[in-house]
Amino acid sequence: MRTIYVVTHPEATHHVDRLVGGWFDAELTPAGERAAAALAESLRARVPKGVELYSSDLRRTARTAEVIGERLGVTPILDRRLREKSYGEAGGRPREWLDSRFVPPPAVGDRLGHDEGIPGAETKGAMAARVYAAMESILESHCEHQIVVTHGGALTFVIAAWIRMPLESAGYVDFRGSPGSVTVLREDDYFHNRQVVTLAGTARPSGW
């Protein structure tokens, strides 16, 4: 039996300042720090010893993982492939700046390679490919309990990789997770089916 707890980082400064996140290296707010501590306590109550802890290397996720690691007695493994989507020149700018320039993807056609009109921005396909690669590396381990700390946008491709959705089909998928949520993924030892047990639950153990 393998269980993966996917944590989306809690409130960061770009949320309250209404700035574009992505690779803009925002920090947790005081409220985000408190939420990270609550997440850590919830995980400590649910996760046995011997857990592995992986995280995006951006400050808001790395700090969340640090707080969790302190409670569980484990050192986070930072992996830049778990980062949020890069928004290129829009990163760190007001949301309105991005919204006024953003070109939405077509209903049909090349959604993964679509150019959103923002110089330097990552395509959905490039983001999906690196998150898939990160998950492939994580799943090479035989550890039965793993925690992955990532971002709301990256959560979609963590789950898509987990359920073995072909990358070429990932242009339409969207799993929403609010800041500070926990998604529980599980694979059984008999059928080896991969489940999404809880999608974006709250920090309280009863919420996931």
Side-chain angles (χ1 to χ4, degrees), residues 1-7 42-43 45-54 72 135 138-139 141-149 158 162 182-189 192-199 205 208:
M1 182 84 71
R2 184 201 297 262
T3 305
I4 301 178
Y5 304 86
V6 187
V7 177
S42 295
L43 288 164
R46 291 282 294 269
V47 180
K49 292 182 179 179
V51 65
E52 292 178 344
L53 175 57
Y54 300 87
L72 273 64
M135 286 299 293
I138 290 169
L139 294 174
S141 168
H142 297 292
C143 185
E144 292 187 352
H145 295 272
Q146 297 168 303
I147 299 170
V148 176
V149 183
V158 169
W162 169 250
V182 179
T183 294
V184 181
L185 311 175
R186 184 168 294 133
E187 179 180 8
D188 71 85
D189 290 332
H192 298 284
N193 291 329
R194 292 187 174 184
Q195 309 168 42
V196 180
V197 179
T198 303
L199 175 61
W208 46 273

Side-chain angles (χ1 to χ4, degrees), residues 49-61:
K49 292 182 179 179
V51 65
E52 292 178 344
L53 175 57
Y54 300 87
S55 175
S56 158
D57 65 337
L58 293 174
R59 284 186 289 183
R60 55 195 185 270
T61 40

Side-chain angles (χ1 to χ4, degrees), residues 30-200:
E33 289 277 350
R34 293 190 294 272
L39 283 165
E41 289 300 324
S42 295
L43 288 164
R44 186 168 68 170
R46 291 282 294 269
V47 180
K49 292 182 179 179
V51 65
E52 292 178 344
L53 175 57
Y54 300 87
S55 175
S56 158
D57 65 337
L58 293 174
R59 284 186 289 183
R60 55 195 185 270
T61 40
R63 175 57 185 160
T64 303
E66 180 183 23
V67 173
I68 293 170
E70 288 171 353
R71 299 298 197 283
L72 273 64
V74 61
T75 301
I77 299 169
L78 302 184
D79 189 336
R80 64 182 288 116
R81 295 175 297 180
L82 292 169
R83 287 184 174 193
E84 184 60 280
K85 181 181 182 297
S86 171
Y87 286 95
E89 290 186 6
R93 291 179 181 265
R95 289 287 315 181
E96 293 78 8
W97 190 94
L98 173 62
D99 293 343
S100 66
R101 293 164 174 79
F102 186 80
V103 179
V108 296
D110 184 13
R111 293 171 57 88
L112 288 174
H114 170 69
D115 182 352
E116 297 173 346
I118 310 300
E122 195 174 28
T123 64
K124 191 173 186 178
M127 178 190 181
R130 63 173 168 78
V131 175
Y132 269 53
M135 286 299 293
E136 183 177 356
S137 297
I138 290 169
L139 294 174
E140 286 176 355
S141 168
H142 297 292
C143 185
E144 292 187 352
H145 295 272
Q146 297 168 303
I147 299 170
V148 176
V149 183
T150 188
H151 307 260
L155 172 66
T156 284
F157 299 117
V158 169
I159 297 173
W162 169 250
I163 62 175
R164 295 185 179 275
M165 176 180 289
L167 182 59
E168 59 270 21
S169 300
Y172 288 91
V173 66
D174 183 21
F175 295 104
R176 292 298 176 98
S178 58
S181 68
V182 179
T183 294
V184 181
L185 311 175
R186 184 168 294 133
E187 179 180 8
D188 71 85
D189 290 332
Y190 189 75
F191 292 104
H192 298 284
N193 291 329
R194 292 187 174 184
Q195 309 168 42
V196 180
V197 179
T198 303
L199 175 61

